[in-house]
Amino acid sequence: MVKGPVAHRKKEVHRGDWLFAQFIQAGAMLLIALLLALAWFLIKGGWPAIERYGARFLFSSNWNPVLEVFGAAPVIYGTLVSSAIAIMIAAPLSVSVALFLHAVAPPKIRAVFSFFVDMLAAIPSVVYGLWGIFVLAPWLRSDVEPWLSEHFGFLPFFQGPFYGVGMLAAGLILAIMIIPSIFAMCSEVFRSLPVTYKEAALALGATRWEMMQIAFLRAGKRGIIGGIILGLGRALGETMAVTMLIGNRDEISVSLFSPGQTMASVIANEYAEAGSSIHVAALIEVGLVLFCMTILVNALARIIIRSDDAI
Amino acid sequence: MTSIFLLGITLSCSAAFIHGTGASFPFPLYTKWFAEFQKLNPEVKINYQAIGSGGGIRQLLAHTVDFGASDAPMTEEQTLHADILHIPSMVGGVVLTYNLPGIPSGLKLTPDIMADLFLGNMKRWNDPRLHAINPELHLPDLPVTIIHRSNGSGTTLILTEYLAKISCAWKKGVGAGPAVKWPVGLGGKGNESVTSLIKQSPGALGYIELSYAVMNNLTYASLANTENLFIAPTVASIHAAAKASEALMPDDLRLSLTNAPGKDSYPLSAFTYILIYRKMDGAKGQEMLHFFKWAITDGQNFASKLHYSPLPESIAVKTMKALGRVSIVW
């Protein structure tokens, strides 16, 4: 008598559980399927170019749609260098701002400041691009680049004519755009660190700087690196603002003043008007290289963050 | 590859919905046409996406749109498996615009100087050859900065096709196409970026389509044509280029207008095309044909206000004949 209803209820709960499990499982599967479908599309679409150019595609620096010769080295170089500039500027800046807010500043300032940095993340990239082309680029051309050339002109990075737009402009705009990502990640890490670390360090007689080193930077090292790599992932794939500011030239040049081109921007520039099928295939192969690079970077970030949890 | 286009385009079964994609160069006039035509025929709705000539051709060949539009005639490779008609819809022009402090207007350029400027052989504005043809101008001692389109564009095609015609070095070294490997210069995405780069850089020289240049009050150069006369880009001078080439128009209507003969012809002129299948489906096909015939006749009156040139009379007649070859399949 008692058995009946209980068994019945049990069965009901089971069915709901089962359905829900199936549902979320399907959702998870769908995500993986989407990723695989994307990879499949890129490989299939890019195959004519992969077949025709082979490894040369990655190392040749001649990109000529008219002659149907495609070498992606300049755009790979442009992507890596503009992202590297962005990371070199954004990483120390966002880490130190996060450090200041969590280790030194009173909580009120922290809230206000976090709000403004979060706002930066909400601005669409085309707006960054417009600001870059109307404000940043003219300023670089008239003030920053002449100054750099005058004081650091002996370095090959700061030689050549001043255009305003170019690798430096692209790197700077990327830096501004990835600061919110790195900052948010570092803030999260610093917030999650036990206050006892800080107190212990101070109790043992550490100075404020030593306390920051021990209780924040060293303790949160993996999280910080993970945040920087996530920022790097964003910088690699950013398209619109970079296209507007990099000068769009398929050339490998050491000088940061000279124009360049990234993988994302060459696709944005040439896909719509690509006439021949091999041109389209070459652009899709560029997409494939970018896809692999971003996946790799993100995977790296996950691994680093994961190992942080384990400790 | 075609599947991603399908996502973006909603195909409708209704006969009155016509979808087209393609060139952005004639987009302002096409938009005007659709609006005016709809006033006369409220049941017909035409949707046009200005995604670029190459994309327009690809979508037409994939049958995801009803008509395409392109600044360049299709290549033999592209028309191999499709029976496509080329319908010239108007004549457009490309202007060379510059930023030279103290020279608000009046710069003159010859073909060989143009080639040397874009090839990077002529590096400074106070070059004696430039001075020789512009004796009245005080040309500054500034480096030449070439500003070009970074995204594939019909304007690039028109300029590079012209340069390939007048310069062997350009033809061998660079060639012609909507996207080329530029010997020198900076790339800007779209007319807007090119314009702002030119405005910001003293010594800049770039190219832009005529209607955009006029509407934005840009300064532009007069170019020497085949008769060695300096012609400023205007609706009249691009019309003259088309008119002077009337006799050369082949039956398939594919004709390049760059470096056109005639003493009033502006050398950077070009037809822009609407691309359609020779066989069209039933009621929708009829509506499309109706629209294109209207565009070639009454529609031409809207061209000059938007700084394009209408088709010369005889070419319009030839185009109407070509539209007569369309067969409607019920």
Side-chain angles (χ1 to χ4, degrees):
Chain A
M1 259 154 94
V2 181
K3 233 179 181 179
V6 170
H8 180 68
R9 199 186 303 146
K10 242 186 187 172
K11 203 178 166 192
E12 279 252 317
V13 169
H14 259 281
R15 191 183 295 157
D17 273 355
W18 181 81
L19 268 175
F20 186 67
Q22 292 297 311
F23 178 71
I24 53 172
Q25 220 163 42
M29 287 299 169
L30 190 70
L31 271 182
I32 295 170
L34 264 176
L35 196 71
L36 290 178
L38 196 61
W40 169 241
F41 159 78
L42 289 171
I43 292 169
K44 188 168 158 271
W47 191 251
I50 298 171
E51 221 176 6
R52 183 154 153 189
Y53 304 113
R56 248 185 319 152
F57 188 81
L58 299 176
F59 302 109
S60 157
S61 61
N62 190 12
W63 180 276
N64 192 328
V66 178
L67 299 178
E68 299 191 343
V69 175
F70 296 103
V75 292
I76 295 173
Y77 173 84
T79 303
L80 293 177
V81 171
S82 60
S83 300
I85 298 171
I87 287 295
M88 280 193 282
I89 297 167
L93 205 67
S94 5
V95 173
S96 40
V97 169
L99 193 58
F100 164 74
L101 290 177
H102 286 270
V104 184
K108 250 186 203 165
I109 294 182
R110 188 189 306 168
V112 173
F113 208 90
S114 299
F115 172 74
F116 279 109
V117 177
D118 285 346
M119 292 267 283
L120 276 180
I123 299 171
S125 72
V126 65
V127 175
Y128 278 110
L130 282 175
W131 176 80
I133 205 156
F134 287 114
V135 182
L136 182 66
W139 179 61
L140 286 177
R141 196 176 61 80
S142 62
D143 297 314
V144 179
E145 290 180 353
W147 185 86
L148 281 172
S149 153
E150 196 187 329
H151 294 89
F152 300 96
F154 56 90
L155 293 169
F157 310 118
F158 304 116
Q159 289 170 359
F162 318 130
Y163 296 119
V165 296
M167 209 60 106
L168 185 63
L172 280 176
I173 207 81
L174 279 176
I176 299 172
M177 292 175 77
I178 63 174
I179 282 174
S181 325
I182 304 180
F183 171 77
M185 185 77 189
C186 292
S187 280
E188 212 50 56
V189 169
F190 292 156
R191 193 177 307 146
S192 68
L193 290 172
V195 187
T196 44
Y197 284 14
K198 185 178 169 183
E199 287 165 354
L202 291 173
L204 286 171
T207 62
R208 194 183 246 181
W209 168 232
E210 283 165 341
M211 176 272 286
M212 282 194 263
Q213 269 183 303
I214 297 163
F216 286 92
L217 291 178
R218 206 167 297 163
K221 195 171 88 189
R222 290 216 170 92
I224 296 168
I225 295 173
I228 292 171
I229 292 181
L230 280 180
L232 177 64
R234 185 171 179 205
L236 289 173
E238 174 49 45
T239 310
M240 198 58 204
V242 171
T243 307
M244 290 166 87
L245 280 172
I246 200 163
N248 301 299
R249 189 161 176 72
D250 301 312
E251 199 175 72
I252 296 180
S253 167
V254 187
S255 170
L256 301 182
F257 296 167
S258 61
Q261 175 106 284
T262 69
M263 290 192 260
S265 66
V266 75
I267 297 171
N269 274 322
E270 294 183 11
Y271 192 78
E273 286 277 349
S276 65
S277 42
I278 191 74
H279 191 183
V280 175
L283 289 169
I284 296 177
E285 194 184 343
V286 171
L288 180 65
V289 176
L290 182 57
F291 179 79
C292 294
M293 208 183 260
T294 331
I295 292 233
L296 223 83
V297 163
N298 275 291
L300 201 64
R302 304 275 157 208
I303 291 167
I304 291 170
I305 297 167
R306 184 80 45 84
S307 57
D308 189 35
D309 289 346
I311 288 169
Chain B
M1 206 210 80
T2 52
S3 56
I4 58 157
F5 291 131
L6 278 166
L7 285 174
I9 306 292
T10 45
L11 285 169
S12 163
C13 313
S14 160
F17 280 91
I18 298 169
H19 294 276
T21 53
S24 53
F25 182 71
F27 184 53
L29 181 56
Y30 287 179
T31 312
K32 180 80 180 156
W33 278 352
F34 303 148
E36 293 295 329
F37 188 73
Q38 211 176 345
K39 276 184 207 161
L40 304 170
N41 304 274
E43 75 285 358
V44 180
K45 286 198 170 56
I46 306 172
N47 170 20
Y48 182 79
Q49 305 286 326
I51 61 162
S53 300
I57 289 172
R58 288 207 301 276
Q59 291 207 20
L60 182 73
L61 292 179
H63 291 267
T64 52
V65 290
D66 301 313
F67 70 92
S70 171
D71 297 321
M74 288 168 71
T75 60
E76 297 300 328
E77 180 202 338
Q78 289 165 335
T79 50
L80 205 60
H81 305 291
D83 199 1
I84 305 279
L85 282 179
H86 285 70
I87 305 297
S89 59
M90 69 175 93
V91 189
V94 169
V95 306
L96 296 189
T97 171
Y98 54 90
N99 176 352
L100 293 175
I103 305 179
S105 66
L107 183 71
K108 285 182 286 204
L109 297 171
T110 57
D112 55 320
I113 288 180
M114 263 186 273
D116 279 340
L117 284 168
F118 282 100
L119 279 166
N121 295 339
M122 192 180 278
K123 291 186 167 60
R124 297 195 85 82
W125 281 105
N126 57 351
D127 192 283
R129 278 163 64 206
L130 266 168
H131 186 73
I133 56 164
N134 294 287
E136 70 287 358
L137 300 180
H138 182 71
L139 290 161
D141 181 16
L142 277 174
V144 176
T145 307
I146 297 295
I147 311 283
H148 58 79
R149 286 281 287 268
S150 62
N151 51 329
S153 160
T155 53
T156 305
L157 175 72
I158 293 166
L159 179 78
T160 53
E161 190 193 83
Y162 171 74
L163 291 172
K165 279 183 185 176
I166 53 130
S167 157
C168 280
W170 184 274
K171 191 176 179 182
K172 265 190 225 139
V174 186
V180 300
K181 188 176 171 67
W182 291 91
V184 288
L186 300 175
K189 186 166 165 52
N191 283 321
E192 316 76 45
S193 283
V194 167
T195 308
S196 62
L197 282 175
I198 292 172
K199 282 185 172 164
Q200 283 168 21
S201 330
L205 175 73
Y207 57 95
I208 219 114
E209 68 168 291
L210 173 63
S211 56
Y212 190 88
V214 174
M215 282 188 263
N216 289 279
N217 290 318
L218 303 178
T219 52
Y220 35 79
S222 297
L223 309 181
N225 63 13
T226 52
E227 309 269 325
N228 251 326
L229 295 164
F230 290 100
I231 303 293
T234 59
V235 171
S237 65
I238 57 175
H239 188 76
K243 195 145 179 60
S245 310
E246 274 176 333
L248 303 171
M249 188 58 128
D251 283 335
D252 67 0
L253 300 169
R254 289 192 259 185
L255 177 66
S256 158
L257 273 189
T258 49
N259 205 27
K263 67 178 181 29
D264 300 320
S265 302
Y266 179 72
L268 291 176
S269 312
F271 289 115
T272 182
Y273 290 93
I274 284 173
L275 307 167
I276 51 175
Y277 277 99
R278 190 196 292 274
K279 289 198 180 72
M280 294 203 266
D281 290 336
K284 192 189 208 171
Q286 265 185 333
E287 292 291 1
M288 278 170 66
L289 212 53
H290 183 197
F291 167 71
F292 293 134
K293 284 180 174 165
W294 175 87
I296 299 307
T297 51
D298 296 352
Q300 295 292 312
N301 298 329
F302 298 102
S304 49
K305 251 181 241 146
L306 293 167
H307 310 287
Y308 300 98
S309 155
L311 297 172
E313 193 62 38
S314 75
I315 290 174
V317 169
K318 225 170 187 170
T319 307
M320 286 299 274
K321 257 188 215 154
L323 281 170
R325 289 203 292 272
V326 171
S327 55
I328 304 286
V329 185
W330 290 94

